[in-house]
């Protein structure tokens, strides 16, 4: 029997990965908000570096009350923003058997969902992809696409293996990790400097940030603080990541982060998921992260300005 | 005999204080650049909270080669920017008897002038004034106006007393200090957070910066680092200044710093004078100032963007 899934969110990630999961063998229901009419009528077109494709989700709904089955999995592709109350959005759809997969950026974002649904398995997911929503039902996938998942807080589970297979049958690489918290710290090593700074500095790319030696050093300091924090948090990532990330980013084509795009389009920023939660963990663990904290504070102000 | 002085700069400060010095009894020559024609023909009008006034400098020149006397004092009212080579600008006018008064913001800005003119007395000056240049020869003086001066590096001198008298006879308060370096640190306690943050955050006022508790705390941290640095530098300022400044600024009318105005008008920023020199002193003295350093690095990037 096909796994029955609910995909929440028809932004770039939701639109792309829902198609992958359908291709991987799942019966899909896509929960849309503003895109509902267009997606229901016309499906989703993905202009992709791996080959363009088009699909219609098996079902398109506007609210989880319309869901026609108890889902085996709920995949969440929403941004983590204070005004998005994910628990309320999915509550009605969460059955006893449901596993919740959070394909979202940030640190410690599983905890509130685990607290709300203590008897459901929670899987964290991290997408490594350059992908933009051009319009309702129209996605531009420019590069990468692999995903990393792991049951929260730790361990390899059967459900994790099913999710991995769905993605891989759908055509993308999916790494299964037994420490998704470490995977989140690992991604934060890159995200913590480049995403916020690209917005704080008014919309700049990686080249701009790394060509000035003081700014390069600031990125390095922030990265080192994240590594230190991951150790204190008991999910240590390798310090080598710092120089690797810097070297790699300095040598890649100038890149605008997703937060840079959000900033330029005056969209709300994932301040807490990316930095605020990390700073709070640092405070709890009494780890000194002054650079990270300064960046967090400034990013929070940039977001305040966007929110007007 | 009237002291003969050269005033360098016809921006807001130069235009205002040259008038004060003339009123105080000096024979004044004002060195202008772009404003030369207008100021020479029409003089300077000051719309002032203390009463509007108009004056014509005794002489208006475009280059120091036109100066008709060996000045007793050269008063410098220019911004401290890397593209402004002050030594070259005034060199020809510096006589054996000349005292150079630098009414400029920042830390350690006297050293390069002292090095270039090792046998001349250097006086540092700090202006506490809200004043804008509206147009050539037109100044809007909104608030305050007192000045603090002191011979560099320390001490009270006869020349310092003469300068004090000129300002006071001209109608403003002038405090003579025996530790102008401490006075610079003291002013930096306020300047270091508010000037840079107002620009980094894209043009915001003091209210915006202080109404968010994290941003308030960041300002506090930066101020404390400046106090710590002043101690290490041997010119300690009182730690009480931190809370005093925060309290005062939180309770005053929302205020846009001069750097905020510079940012909004895409003018080059005094990055090194306000922060860069402080950070370099911290590095030399091995004092940890991570918040200050982060703000410095970001401000440097904002300035880079303005410079295109």
């Amino acid at each position: 029997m096909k796994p029955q899934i609910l995909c929440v969110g028809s932004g770039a990630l939701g639109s792309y990965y829902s198609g992958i999961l359908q291709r991987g063998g799942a019966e899909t229901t896509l929960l849309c908000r503003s895109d509902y009419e267009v997606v229901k009528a016309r499906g989703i077109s993905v202009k992709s570096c791996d080959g363009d494709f088009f699909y219609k989700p098996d079902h398109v709904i506007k609210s989880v009350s319309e869901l026609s089955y108890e889902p085996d999995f709920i995949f969440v592709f929403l941004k983590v923003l204070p005004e998005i109350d994910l628990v309320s959005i999915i509550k009605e759809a969460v059955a006893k058997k449901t596993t919740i997969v959070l394909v979202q950026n940030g640190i410690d974002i599983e905890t509130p969902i685990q607290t709300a649904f203590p008897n459901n398995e929670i899987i964290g997911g991290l997408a490594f992809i350059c992908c933009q929503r051009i319009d309702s039902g129209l996605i531009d996938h420019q590069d990468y696409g692999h995903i990393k998942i792991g049951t929260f807080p730790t361990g390899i589970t059967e459900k994790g293996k099913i999710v991995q297979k769905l993605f891989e049958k759908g055509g993308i690489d999916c790494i299964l990790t037994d420490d998704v918290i470490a995977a989140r710290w690992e991604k934060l090593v890159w995200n913590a400097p480049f995403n916020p700074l690209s917005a704080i500095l008014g919309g700049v790319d990686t080249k701009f940030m790394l060509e000035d030696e003081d700014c390069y050093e600031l990125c390095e300091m922030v990265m080192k603080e994240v590594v230190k924090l991951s150790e204190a948090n008991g999910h240590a990532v390798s310090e080598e990541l710092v120089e690797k990330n810097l070297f790699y980013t300095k040598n890649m084509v100038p890149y605008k982060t997703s937060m840079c795009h959000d900033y330029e389009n005056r969209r709300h920023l994932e301040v807490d998921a990316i930095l605020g939660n990390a700073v709070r963990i640092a405070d709890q663990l009494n780890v000194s992260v002054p650079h990270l904290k300064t960046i967090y504070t400034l990013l929070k102000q940039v977001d305040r300005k966007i929110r007007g």
Side-chain angles (χ1 to χ4, degrees), chain A:
Chain A
M1 213 183 100
K2 280 187 171 192
Q4 295 182 305
I5 72 173
L6 168 64
C7 294
V8 181
S10 56
L13 261 58
S15 296
Y16 178 77
Y17 287 115
S18 298
I20 297 291
L21 289 163
Q22 189 184 49
R23 201 156 65 187
E27 180 179 347
T28 58
T29 297
L30 181 60
L31 176 65
C32 301
R33 302 200 114 179
S34 57
D35 293 339
Y36 174 77
E37 301 295 344
V38 174
V39 172
K40 173 118 185 149
R42 294 196 264 154
I44 290 172
S45 297
V46 181
K47 194 175 160 309
S48 171
C49 54
D50 298 332
D52 299 351
F53 66 94
F54 168 85
Y55 75 100
K56 281 198 166 199
D58 298 307
H59 318 276
V60 180
I61 60 175
K62 233 179 173 165
S63 150
V64 291
S65 62
E66 301 163 45
L67 189 63
S68 57
Y69 47 72
E70 288 193 340
D72 298 302
F73 296 94
I74 297 178
F75 286 83
V76 179
F77 298 106
L78 302 176
K79 296 227 154 180
V80 181
L81 295 171
E83 64 272 25
I84 298 180
D85 181 356
L86 181 58
V87 172
S88 297
I89 292 170
I90 63 171
K91 202 176 207 165
E92 220 181 309
V94 179
K96 207 176 164 188
K97 65 169 178 180
T98 307
T99 296
I100 303 167
V101 188
L102 303 173
V103 184
Q104 300 177 295
N105 263 323
I107 287 295
D108 199 31
I109 59 157
E110 293 91 353
T111 303
I113 310 305
Q114 182 76 91
T115 306
F117 309 108
N119 301 315
N120 293 81
E121 182 170 335
I122 311 289
I123 292 176
L126 291 157
F128 297 83
I129 188 167
C130 302
C131 196
Q132 306 287 322
R133 177 186 170 283
I134 306 297
D135 202 347
S136 294
L138 185 58
I139 304 303
D140 183 19
H141 168 219
Q142 293 133 351
D143 213 347
Y144 306 102
H146 73 277
I147 210 158
K148 198 171 209 175
I149 60 162
T151 293
F152 180 80
T154 51
I156 302 274
T157 61
E158 284 312 307
K159 295 294 172 72
K161 288 179 188 166
I162 295 170
V163 171
Q164 183 186 33
K165 261 180 210 148
L166 275 175
F167 278 123
E168 298 222 312
K169 271 188 69 187
I172 63 157
D173 288 335
C174 179
I175 300 159
L176 191 58
T177 172
D178 64 353
D179 189 350
V180 71
I181 299 175
R184 291 201 173 278
W185 286 116
E186 205 169 297
K187 193 169 185 191
L188 194 68
V189 173
W190 196 92
N191 276 342
F194 296 121
N195 267 292
L197 289 180
S198 70
I200 293 166
L201 294 174
V204 298
D205 63 23
T206 49
K207 180 173 181 286
F208 182 90
M209 293 184 261
L210 291 181
E211 71 194 0
D212 176 79
E213 62 177 6
D214 288 313
C215 199
Y216 184 102
E217 201 191 308
L218 174 59
C219 293
E220 196 177 20
M221 291 294 131
V222 171
M223 287 180 170
K224 283 183 176 171
E225 289 176 354
V226 173
V227 170
K228 190 168 65 170
L229 202 41
S230 75
E231 281 165 21
N233 186 231
H235 298 269
V237 302
S238 161
E239 182 147 8
E240 280 175 26
L241 269 179
V242 174
E243 296 313 318
K244 264 189 198 167
N245 269 316
L246 284 166
F247 179 82
Y248 172 76
T249 308
K250 190 153 171 94
N251 288 290
M252 78 185 185
V253 174
Y255 175 66
K256 282 197 169 186
T257 69
S258 60
M259 205 175 259
C260 181
H261 287 289
D262 287 340
Y263 172 82
E264 289 180 338
N265 292 292
R266 317 308 291 166
R267 291 191 293 253
H268 297 177
L269 307 177
E270 292 181 289
V271 179
D272 283 311
I274 303 286
L275 293 182
N277 292 348
V279 166
R280 272 181 282 282
I281 290 172
D283 284 344
Q284 282 158 17
L285 299 174
N286 223 358
V287 178
S288 168
V289 291
H291 301 89
L292 199 64
K293 210 163 182 171
T294 304
I295 302 287
Y296 159 68
T297 298
L298 295 177
L299 187 67
K300 187 181 171 192
Q301 311 314 311
V302 172
D303 187 55
R304 273 179 72 206
K305 279 191 80 184
I306 291 175
R307 289 166 184 268

